[in-house]
Amino acid sequence: MNEYPHFSMVGEEWSYNPLITSYWQQGKKNKDGYNGCLNTIMDFPLQDALVKSLTGNEDASYNAPFTKLYEMLANDFVYANPNQILVLGDNHDMDRLYMQLNQDIDLTKMALTFLLTTRGIPQIFYGTEILMDNTGHHKVDGLIRSDFPGGWKEDKVNAFTGAGLNKDQLGMQLYVKQLLQWRKNNPVISSGKILHFAPYNGVYVYFRYNKEKTIMVVMNINNSPTTIDTNRFAEIIKGRTEAVNILSNEKAAIRSGITVNPKSATIFEIR
């Protein structure tokens, strides 16, 4: 690091305890005086909380959906730099995200939306965008790390061109493309601040904001459309009255409330 001070190193500390993962991040003031050289660490605690929140596998002590995710994100004060943490839904050593979420497309969309709008550096495991899974072979590394389809003449499916992908796979691939394109042009996501509110009635709401822009993300785990009271968020909305869906460009008034689709994560720009 003395020779290459801007060199970036990512460390895998596979613990679900943020006190342990944060210990290794560069700049953390540890009581034993240790100062690591890893400017980026993998956020396994948040990955675990995300999957458990979406699948309903939260501990009995968590009474409301998303509570585990909310409380895990609230641990960010233990990190030297939360914006430098690598956030992930899966990797080559665990079941693919689509399988972890019981092959539920809506839940997979919600997970990817969270990963691409929360603080930190998102990592998308290849094939997640076309719903690759390892069905029937729980934690079998060879299947989890299967070839990405396409690129070889004998491949009947080509995910580079879309040939052979089914409707669900094409839809997810397009969704991820649109979300990434939007994210690339909105630095508020990569460098802005985050403010989140306690989950209520199956809905978790958080904001990404800077001086130029305010983004609201609404995660709704309910199986029916849900209306949320926007007065709860007055401190961040600050009298603004309109929300624009960043993908559909649809506008909605937010003076007192806003309705979101079931089993969805919707991104709004507040104006």
Side-chain angles (χ1 to χ4, degrees), residues 3 36 55 79 91 127 129 157 183 234 261 270:
E3 186 72 18
T55 56
Y79 291 102
N91 69 12
E129 75 281 11
V157 176
R183 189 184 194 278
N261 292 327
I270 305 302

Side-chain angles (χ1 to χ4, degrees), residues 143-199:
L143 187 58
I144 292 170
R145 306 168 190 179
S146 295
D147 288 349
F148 187 80
W152 304 99
K153 60 182 180 181
E154 62 269 21
D155 288 344
K156 295 180 180 179
V157 176
N158 189 338
F160 295 102
T161 65
L165 295 180
N166 62 38
K167 181 180 178 181
D168 291 338
Q169 291 173 315
L170 288 170
M172 183 63 75
Q173 187 183 55
L174 177 61
Y175 180 76
V176 174
K177 282 182 179 179
Q178 291 174 324
L179 198 51
L180 285 170
Q181 186 64 32
W182 170 80
R183 189 184 194 278
K184 182 176 67 174
N185 295 310
N186 284 272
V188 62
I189 302 300
S190 58
S191 60
K193 296 181 179 180
I194 186 168
L195 176 67
H196 65 158
F197 291 79

